[in-house]
Amino acid sequence: MPAVPKGDGMRGLAVFISDIRNCKSKEAEIKRINKELANIRSKFKGDKALDGYSKKKYVCKLLFIFLLGHDIDFGHMEAVNLLSSNKYTEKQIGYLFISVLVNSNSDLIRLINNGLKNDLSSRNPTYMNLALHCIANVGSREMAEAFAADIPRILVAGDTMDSVKQSAALCLLRLNRTSPDLVPMGEWTARVVHLLNDQHLGVVTAATSLIATLAQKSPDDFKTSVSLAVARLSRIVTSASTDLQDYTYYFVAAPWLSVKLLRLLQCYPPPEDAALRGRLTECLETILNKAQEPPKSKKVQHSNAKNAVLFEAISLIIHHDSEPTLLVRACNQLGQFLQHRETNLRYLALESMCTLASSEFSHEAVKTHIDTVINALKTERDVSVRQRAVDLLYAMCDRSNSKQIVAEMLSYLETADYSIREEIVLKVAILAEKYAVDYTWYVDTILNLIRFAGDYVSEEVWYRVIQIVINRDDVQGYAAKTVFEALQAPACHENLVKVGGYILGEFGNLIAGDSRSSPLIQFNLLHSKFHLCSVPTRALLLSAYIKFINLFPEVKGTIQEVLRSDSQLRNADVELQQRAVEYLRLSCIASTDILATVLEEMPPFPERESSILAKLKRKKGPGTVPDLDEARKEREKDRDRSSNLNGGTEHSNNTATSNKLPSSSFVGDLLAPALPPTNRPRPVSSSSLLQPILTHSAAPMMLSAVTETQVSPSISNDLLGLSPTASTGASLLVDVFSDNLVLGPASGIPHADMPAPPVADENFSRFVCKNNGVLYENQLLQIGLKSEYRQNLGRMYVFFGNKTSTQFLSFSSTVVCADTLATDLSVHAKPADSTVDGGAQLQQILNIECLSDFTDAPVLNIQFRYGGILQNIAVKLPVTLNKFFQPTEMTSQDFFQRWKQLGAPQQEVQKIFKAQNPMDTEVTKAKIIGFGAALLDGVDPNPSNFVGAGVIHTKTTQVGCLLRLEPNGQAQMYRLTLRTSRDTVSKRLCDLLSEQF
């Protein structure tokens, strides 16, 4: 910037500022300002032409008055005139006034644009910088239209100075943010990428900010930036602090540029080129190693810069989710921050570990820090850090530590901040249901929830415990006994009274044999709470009383006296009065058989997704993806271990409905519903028909109807949640296996006006050995998957993320199976909502059944309107045969005995192939386990070989599978051998697994 000439200091401005500061009151200040405004206005309107110095001085005074909080409605034209001055100081003040006071919709924009064009074409770097700064500060649409094509040319021109390149890059970034549709993608995009190799690090920093933003909109145009970004990052992290002296901040080399480069790399998947991926891995390892080095300065600026680079590197490692070693190292590094004295570092460490917990490679490493996280939950002073600790405990929870985590969260709940109690309640309820091997523990947990935080237990929570108790015979007696004991406390929360009234009304007969819980004692206990409850709870208790008349005839008279009392028959609330009258008449005139039929035990509820999880997602806001992928771990722990490897003909449905199969998670419930009791009516009966007549409460239904013929199809569908409207958030009853939700090939026909889109399968192979991640992404839409498989059944959650700020309209998502695939694979889908808000996420559930072995994969067709234009996307779904693997443990003797039995030529497939990735033992083990087979240690005489076994489950058969992988490190080759009882299965599994190495 040119030096200001001596004597150019505007003495009049200094005197005016001094006068303002010397004012003793607000009134004196306003008087002085009004006097000055009048003077300036007279000077501007005078006949005598003002020189540039005077204009500059008066414009500066107006700018100062504006900054004091006063409106300025004149002087704009004089400021515009200053732009044509040849003096730097005058031009600078003109641009400053315009940047601060000129509105983006001002009529002067065209005049300003003329001055900007003159300065941009002047090739004077000082004037060009002033013009670019003004364009960036104002950022109006008119300026974007005028200069969006010129600025890229200035940016990539060979003779442009470095300082101008920096300003041009940041100005273009500003215009892209304000008017993205006006910034054209052209030849300059390829040239701007090469600015990452510029010798001036300031240019590289500005260009990286621009490229990272543009890459999110048009990733394909900037793919080449990945290799250049890795190369530049490598040079930075391997350099000493003295090598980049001008860009070293407290002994950290170019921290801002390093962070920007790491963020740019997060716009893309891991590099496919092995050498480039190896170089990036070295960079990340170097950053992790430097974090372990002793600090070179005790200043907080040094630690802040160092940690900023470290956390961004960890974010990139999590984003790629492909290097087990790096993920574990990142987890261990974050674990060191959990006890750091700096609150911000503890918060960031907990937040990052929540994401790491969702990776199948680092989940176990995250679990090792459970004691530290629990201690943080108890001792942390900052509520936001305690909130992140709760999130991390929820994310790291699995079957091995669920009881410990739930107990700690329950313990913390008693003293938790009111702002997070409801969320803790929801998370405890979800974990207790998801990992409850023993449902007596689940009942105890929910009752403790109600005791500790009854005001924060939503209806979804106690609805869910009622549904589970009704659907499971083995827990009904225990639930009745437990709630009976809980109700004996002097002060019970109303939610506990609701649960107690419902369960005792249904299953009080199971504990009536004990004299301490006789029918009369049960009734008196419930009725003692009646006067303390709200109207909806009293209505539920009245329903429990009429149930008691059916269960316990000996208390019929006592209950009828209660129903006859004036407080019931003449109740001011119409609902309670109607119930009392109808229940009393029903008990008096109905015969024993009719009464038993109307008041029979509730039928099992249809299995469905837990409404508690849906409520938690709504509370956390749009865009929340389920926190962890336990599918692989749960599948390995929950499946029945089978020793049958000969592919017998036993029907797999027998296993799917067996009571031996764990069904504690809500996903497990859907995939393997428990057998309904034979002494109960099926859910399709009309046993709920009286509910709309007798109650308007949203509580689960307690009454039954007389005959099945009274229910029309439309009513019964609504009651069961089978109609399209019943599957919305307002209804809890959704039959996910309903035939009404089947999507066949016909439903996936593309729009008539559009050709069928090409099927995207770039990320298909990445999902062969994993069940969660991002399947597809462009500038508008991101599609993520979370899957779980059990025997021949599977469930896939598809998440559609709107990356724009504009709502997607007419959104539809359908699954198409080719004719040859439709006979081997059945896919049932729940319809998706027709709109997706900007920045929000939509979930669709696919239920999958393997009928026979298959080769092809289904295709997901997505259509929506964005900006009035119909978008059509087709993506190949990663549903492969190995997803239906059940791992099987075997001894060495059993393995080779079975290996010899499967020795027929048609039963063996062998493939020798070149290694496409580094031959890492741990990665190979993880991929074989992820493939679905049990990894058998110590079976093969050669310890470097890998041996696996498992069973492929289809609806009709089970196919035993043995595999052997022999690596040759010197030749960088593999030999893969598979033997199964079916040749088509051998070939398909061999093709799928060989592509992973």
Side-chain angles (χ1 to χ4, degrees):
M1 183 180 294
V4 178
K6 187 176 181 181
D8 201 23
M10 294 185 289
R11 181 175 179 275
L13 174 64
V15 171
F16 174 62
I17 294 175
S18 177
D19 290 346
I20 294 295
R21 290 176 176 172
N22 292 330
C23 291
K24 302 299 184 181
S25 64
K26 186 69 174 177
E27 291 76 12
E29 177 184 315
I30 294 175
K31 183 177 179 181
R32 178 67 181 90
I33 288 174
N34 288 337
K35 179 182 177 181
E36 190 65 36
L37 287 174
N39 177 56
I40 296 172
R41 196 185 300 272
S42 66
K43 294 292 184 182
F44 284 167
K45 288 185 177 181
D47 297 334
K48 184 180 178 181
L50 292 175
D51 59 7
Y53 171 80
S54 298
K55 285 183 182 178
K56 177 184 71 171
K57 178 178 65 174
Y58 293 135
V59 167
C60 267
K61 288 183 178 181
L62 291 176
L63 185 58
F64 178 72
I65 292 171
F66 175 78
L67 295 178
L68 289 176
H70 300 272
D71 293 332
I72 300 298
D73 56 0
F74 69 99
H76 299 75
M77 183 58 73
E78 284 71 18
V80 173
N81 292 336
L82 287 175
L83 300 186
S84 58
S85 174
N86 290 325
K87 289 187 177 181
Y88 169 77
T89 54
E90 295 175 6
K91 189 183 291 288
Q92 179 195 32
I93 295 301
Y95 276 124
L96 181 60
F97 185 93
I98 291 169
S99 299
V100 175
L101 272 90
V102 173
N103 188 284
S104 59
N105 298 321
S106 173
D107 296 334
L108 298 174
I109 288 293
R110 291 188 179 181
L111 291 175
I112 296 171
N113 286 351
N114 290 333
L116 292 169
K117 285 183 180 178
N118 293 334
D119 286 337
L120 287 178
S121 59
S122 68
R123 310 308 296 173
N124 183 321
T126 303
Y127 295 169
M128 293 176 74
N129 271 329
L130 285 175
L132 290 168
H133 294 170
C134 180
I135 295 171
N137 286 329
V138 178
S140 67
R141 190 169 182 84
E142 289 80 1
M143 285 187 177
E145 291 174 347
F147 302 109
D150 297 332
I151 296 175
R153 287 198 292 269
I154 296 173
L155 177 61
V156 299
D159 58 345
T160 304
M161 293 186 63
D162 291 336
S163 61
V164 179
K165 285 183 180 180
Q166 287 179 259
S167 299
L170 296 176
C171 181
L172 195 59
L173 175 61
R174 163 71 169 164
L175 294 182
N176 180 73
R177 288 173 177 170
T178 57
S179 305
D181 56 315
L182 297 180
V183 178
M185 296 289 114
E187 296 180 358
W188 64 273
T189 55
R191 298 177 63 185
V192 77
V193 170
H194 290 285
L195 291 177
L196 295 177
N197 274 336
D198 198 280
Q199 295 181 352
H200 194 282
L201 284 189
V203 175
V204 179
T205 304
T208 305
S209 298
L210 175 63
I211 294 169
T213 301
L214 295 177
Q216 295 177 6
K217 183 171 72 171
S218 304
D220 293 339
D221 293 336
F222 298 93
K223 275 185 177 180
T224 54
S225 65
V226 174
S227 58
L228 298 177
V230 172
R232 174 63 74 174
L233 182 65
S234 177
R235 293 200 293 271
I236 293 174
V237 300
T238 56
S239 64
S241 58
T242 55
D243 296 340
L244 304 173
Q245 208 161 18
D246 293 339
Y247 287 87
T248 296
Y249 180 78
Y250 287 87
F251 304 101
V252 181
W256 283 275
L257 177 55
S258 300
V259 167
K260 291 177 185 294
L261 290 170
L262 289 165
R263 287 181 180 173
L264 172 59
L265 292 173
Q266 291 177 49
C267 297
Y268 295 94
E272 296 180 357
D273 181 66
L276 185 61
R277 183 185 296 181
R279 190 172 185 183
L280 177 58
T281 302
E282 290 177 5
C283 292
L284 297 173
E285 287 177 343
T286 303
I287 294 173
L288 293 175
N289 291 336
K290 286 186 176 181
Q292 300 290 339
E293 296 175 359
K296 297 180 180 179
S297 171
K298 295 183 179 180
K299 297 285 185 68
V300 67
Q301 292 91 337
H302 170 72
S303 60
N304 285 347
K306 188 176 177 181
N307 291 331
V309 177
L310 173 63
F311 275 101
E312 207 60 52
I314 291 175
S315 296
L316 179 60
I317 293 170
I318 296 172
H319 171 75
H320 284 173
D321 193 21
S322 59
E323 297 291 339
T325 305
L326 286 178
L327 286 164
V328 173
R329 286 198 59 189
C331 179
N332 294 335
Q333 181 63 52
L334 292 172
Q336 297 177 16
F337 289 136
L338 293 179
Q339 295 177 310
H340 199 277
R341 59 184 177 84
E342 179 63 40
T343 304
N344 289 336
L345 285 180
R346 298 197 298 273
Y347 179 93
L348 291 172
L350 290 167
E351 189 176 45
S352 298
M353 289 186 78
C354 283
T355 313
L356 273 174
S358 65
S359 172
E360 56 191 331
F361 300 119
S362 56
H363 183 78
E364 291 299 323
V366 172
K367 286 167 54 180
T368 60
H369 302 282
I370 183 171
D371 293 333
T372 307
V373 179
I374 291 173
N375 184 62
L377 185 66
K378 296 176 179 178
T379 61
E380 184 61 52
R381 289 177 294 177
D382 192 307
V383 63
S384 62
V385 180
R386 294 199 296 272
Q387 170 75 70
R388 296 284 79 80
V390 170
D391 292 342
L392 180 53
L393 286 174
Y394 177 75
M396 70 166 63
C397 187
D398 59 19
R399 199 171 303 281
S400 65
N401 58 17
S402 57
K403 289 193 175 182
Q404 179 187 4
I405 288 178
V406 168
E408 293 293 346
M409 293 176 77
L410 274 175
S411 174
Y412 171 66
L413 189 58
E414 295 186 70
T415 57
D417 297 83
Y418 295 109
S419 58
I420 62 174
R421 282 194 178 186
E422 183 180 3
E423 188 175 331
I424 296 175
V425 167
L426 292 175
K427 288 182 174 179
V428 169
I430 292 169
L431 295 178
E433 178 184 347
K434 188 174 184 180
Y435 300 114
V437 178
D438 179 7
Y439 269 83
T440 59
W441 172 73
Y442 170 74
V443 171
D444 289 338
T445 300
I446 299 300
L447 292 181
N448 284 331
L449 267 185
I450 298 174
R451 288 195 193 102
F452 297 152
D455 290 335
Y456 299 90
V457 176
S458 62
E459 290 182 335
E460 287 84 355
V461 174
W462 75 266
Y463 285 179
R464 189 63 177 165
V465 70
I466 292 296
Q467 293 157 8
I468 288 176
V469 169
I470 285 179
N471 285 17
R472 300 186 179 277
D473 289 342
D474 56 339
V475 78
Q476 290 164 1
Y478 179 81
K481 177 176 179 293
T482 305
V483 295
F484 175 78
E485 294 173 351
L487 285 172
Q488 295 180 26
C492 294
H493 194 274
E494 189 167 334
N495 282 333
L496 182 59
V497 178
K498 292 177 182 177
V499 175
Y502 200 107
I503 291 179
L504 291 179
E506 292 291 330
F507 311 113
N509 59 310
L510 300 179
I511 60 172
D514 190 334
S515 59
R516 294 170 296 181
S517 55
S518 65
L520 185 59
I521 292 177
Q522 291 185 42
F523 170 73
N524 289 334
L525 181 60
L526 283 178
H527 196 54
S528 67
K529 315 292 182 183
F530 188 89
H531 65 287
L532 301 173
C533 300
S534 62
V535 169
T537 305
R538 292 183 184 185
L540 188 147
L541 288 178
L542 289 178
S543 297
Y545 296 168
I546 192 67
K547 286 273 188 172
F548 272 22
I549 291 179
N550 179 50
L551 292 177
F552 315 117
E554 61 269 30
V555 298
K556 180 177 180 179
T558 305
I559 295 175
Q560 285 179 337
E561 287 301 319
V562 171
L563 295 175
R564 286 195 184 97
S565 63
D566 287 348
S567 60
Q568 305 302 336
L569 294 181
R570 298 183 180 181
N571 197 293
D573 186 85
V574 177
E575 173 69 22
L576 294 181
Q577 185 185 111
Q578 181 180 356
R579 284 186 183 233
V581 171
E582 292 182 355
Y583 290 169
L584 180 60
R585 294 299 296 160
L586 183 65
S587 65
C588 293
I589 66 174
S591 66
T592 304
D593 293 338
I594 293 178
L595 201 62
T597 304
V598 174
L599 301 175
E600 66 183 348
E601 207 171 286
M602 276 293 295
F605 286 87
E607 297 294 345
R608 56 199 172 272
E609 180 184 0
S610 171
S611 58
I612 309 174
L613 186 60
K615 181 178 177 66
L616 179 61
K617 292 176 186 175
R618 291 195 301 271
K619 181 175 176 60
K620 297 294 280 185
T624 303
V625 180
D627 51 300
L628 68 150
D629 178 22
E630 284 297 315
R632 186 71 64 190
K633 301 177 182 64
E634 294 306 311
R635 184 178 66 182
E636 293 171 6
K637 295 175 182 177
D638 291 347
R639 287 178 178 169
D640 295 327
R641 300 294 184 181
S642 172
S643 59
N644 179 18
L645 291 176
N646 58 6
T649 58
E650 180 182 352
H651 198 291
S652 61
N653 280 358
N654 296 337
T655 309
T657 57
S658 170
N659 288 334
K660 296 179 182 178
L661 202 153
S663 54
S664 56
S665 74
F666 72 89
V667 178
D669 290 345
L670 292 167
L671 297 179
L675 281 175
T678 56
N679 62 341
R680 291 185 182 173
R682 299 298 298 146
V684 295
S685 74
S686 58
S687 57
S688 307
L689 189 59
L690 286 182
Q691 177 67 10
I693 303 173
L694 298 174
T695 178
H696 301 288
S697 170
M701 299 166 287
M702 292 183 65
L703 295 178
S704 305
V706 180
T707 61
E708 189 167 340
T709 58
Q710 295 174 342
V711 184
S712 67
S714 61
I715 294 177
S716 63
N717 280 350
D718 287 344
L719 290 174
L720 293 175
L722 302 180
S723 66
T725 57
S727 63
T728 63
S731 172
L732 299 178
L733 305 182
V734 180
D735 186 355
V736 296
F737 289 110
S738 168
D739 292 337
N740 298 339
L741 303 180
V742 176
L743 297 180
S747 63
I749 299 175
H751 192 273
D753 297 335
M754 296 184 64
V759 178
D761 59 356
E762 296 83 1
N763 296 327
F764 182 84
S765 61
R766 293 179 58 195
F767 284 83
V768 172
C769 294
K770 60 186 292 187
N771 283 339
N772 71 311
V774 177
L775 177 64
Y776 174 84
E777 186 170 11
N778 62 12
Q779 64 269 28
L780 303 178
L781 180 70
Q782 183 186 71
I783 302 176
L785 296 184
K786 173 180 167 65
S787 310
E788 182 173 19
Y789 295 87
R790 180 170 294 145
Q791 297 191 4
N792 69 311
L793 298 176
R795 161 153 292 179
M796 180 179 290
Y797 296 85
V798 186
F799 301 93
F800 303 97
N802 184 347
K803 297 173 61 179
T804 72
S805 58
T806 305
Q807 187 181 58
F808 291 166
L809 301 176
S810 304
F811 187 91
S812 66
S813 172
T814 56
V815 179
V816 179
C817 293
D819 293 341
T820 55
L821 179 62
T823 58
D824 300 329
L825 189 72
S826 174
V827 181
H828 298 253
K830 180 179 179 181
D833 291 341
S834 59
T835 58
V836 185
D837 293 335
Q841 190 178 72
L842 174 69
Q843 174 184 297
Q844 184 178 33
I845 301 175
L846 308 180
N847 294 292
I848 305 163
E849 183 177 14
C850 179
L851 306 176
S852 181
D853 62 278
F854 59 94
T855 303
D856 295 333
V859 175
L860 182 68
N861 277 340
I862 304 102
Q863 288 187 357
F864 59 91
R865 288 194 178 275
Y866 170 74
I869 301 174
L870 185 64
Q871 307 288 331
N872 199 1
I873 300 169
V875 185
K876 183 183 285 189
L877 283 175
V879 181
T880 51
L881 185 60
N882 66 292
K883 299 297 184 183
F884 304 97
F885 237 137
Q886 173 179 309
T888 304
E889 298 291 343
M890 301 182 70
T891 63
S892 177
Q893 180 180 355
D894 293 338
F895 178 85
F896 284 107
Q897 180 181 356
R898 185 62 191 145
W899 183 268
K900 292 177 182 179
Q901 293 174 0
L902 294 173
Q906 68 272 15
Q907 294 177 323
E908 178 181 287
V909 173
Q910 189 174 91
K911 190 172 185 179
I912 300 175
F913 53 93
K914 186 79 174 176
Q916 302 298 319
N917 300 302
M919 301 179 71
D920 185 279
T921 301
E922 294 303 319
V923 173
T924 303
K925 289 181 178 179
K927 286 185 176 181
I928 292 177
I929 294 173
F931 191 68
L935 188 64
L936 306 180
D937 293 328
V939 171
D940 197 293
N942 187 344
S944 62
N945 292 345
F946 302 93
V947 174
V951 177
I952 294 288
H953 283 260
T954 70
K955 184 176 182 179
T956 55
T957 61
Q958 297 177 0
V959 181
C961 308
L962 303 178
L963 68 88
R964 188 182 191 188
L965 181 67
E966 301 167 89
N968 186 333
Q970 294 180 345
Q972 291 292 298
M973 302 281 286
Y974 284 102
R975 179 167 68 182
L976 175 63
T977 308
L978 271 107
R979 292 188 179 184
T980 76
S981 55
R982 182 171 295 185
D983 55 345
T984 55
V985 174
S986 301
K987 185 177 187 309
R988 181 55 179 159
L989 293 181
C990 185
D991 291 340
L992 288 171
L993 187 56
S994 61
E995 293 173 356
Q996 302 303 307
F997 303 101

